[in-house]
Amino acid sequence: MQYSPILGVATALFEVAVAVWALSGPGRKDIVRITGAILLLLAGYQITEVLICSANPVYGFLPRLAFIVVTWLPPAGILLAARLFTPRSRVVSGAAYAMFAAALGIVLWIAADPGFVSASVCSTVFARYSHTIPRSMVYSGFYWIGLLGMVGFSAYGAKAASDSNARQLFSHLRTGSVAFIVPSLVTTWFVPTTSGALPSIMCHFALILAVYLTRLVAVERRLAVETDSPPVPQEG
């Protein structure tokens, strides 16, 4: 079926709007900035995919740009989890920095390797990509380690945090991560036409993650307002 950009454009507009809203309000700056960056990366992929499918079959650098954009998502997700820990966890922070270092290396590799993505085929609302096996194995290993880190660290935080508000923040990150990863895998496993489209499918389902990040920012804003509000004087 012919590719339609409507879903991608609508998703990108929502993610950009939420990012602007997150960055323009109260809350701990590191939390809202990292969350805003994740939302902008998700929107960046959607916009890049629309450009890829609009340029079909003249792709140029665009397929590689799509992978460069999404490469930063798992490190950013782990960094967000790290910033939610109070006190800071050296283990989680170290994992985030290690993932960012690995992401930088992979981004430089993608930028220098014209054969990293050999083709893109657009269908309905998603794009399919083709890689050689060594490239796909290395990239997939990095990406799944990052996604599992997002889920694992946020799940641990949701269980271990002593403060109910912190548990709620962790829970939004954990649930949002699981809620886009699992449907993406199920779709690509059981829908034959989505073979090779996992990155595209995941970024479309990541709209669910964006919704939970919106809820995370809302909680962070509420906590910031409550902290800044003066105490109500007691009568009598």
Side-chain angles (χ1 to χ4, degrees), residues 46-161:
Q46 298 292 346
I47 294 168
T48 305
E49 183 178 289
V50 169
L51 293 175
I52 289 171
C53 294
S54 299
N56 186 5
V58 183
Y59 306 117
F61 185 71
L62 287 174
R64 282 188 285 161
L65 178 61
F67 278 84
I68 286 173
V69 170
V70 297
T71 295
W72 299 107
L73 286 170
I78 295 176
L79 183 61
L80 177 57
R83 291 295 185 265
L84 293 176
F85 278 93
T86 305
R88 294 283 172 83
S89 168
R90 291 184 178 181
V91 172
V92 184
S93 296
Y97 297 141
M99 284 297 295
F100 270 108
L104 177 60
I106 287 176
V107 163
L108 293 175
W109 168 34
I110 295 172
D113 183 3
F116 181 84
V117 179
S118 59
S120 298
V121 178
C122 300
S123 176
T124 314
V125 294
F126 58 86
R128 295 195 300 271
Y129 302 95
S130 298
H131 310 263
T132 57
I133 290 178
R135 293 179 176 92
S136 64
M137 292 295 289
V138 172
Y139 189 85
S140 296
F142 157 81
Y143 212 82
W144 282 108
I145 288 171
L147 292 180
L148 291 174
M150 283 178 60
V151 174
F153 290 133
S154 57
Y156 173 75
K159 182 178 181 180

Side-chain angles (χ1 to χ4, degrees), residues 196-214:
L198 183 58
S200 178
I201 297 295
M202 291 187 77
C203 282
H204 285 305
F205 275 114
L207 176 61
I208 303 172
L209 173 62
V211 171
Y212 276 94
L213 291 178
T214 305

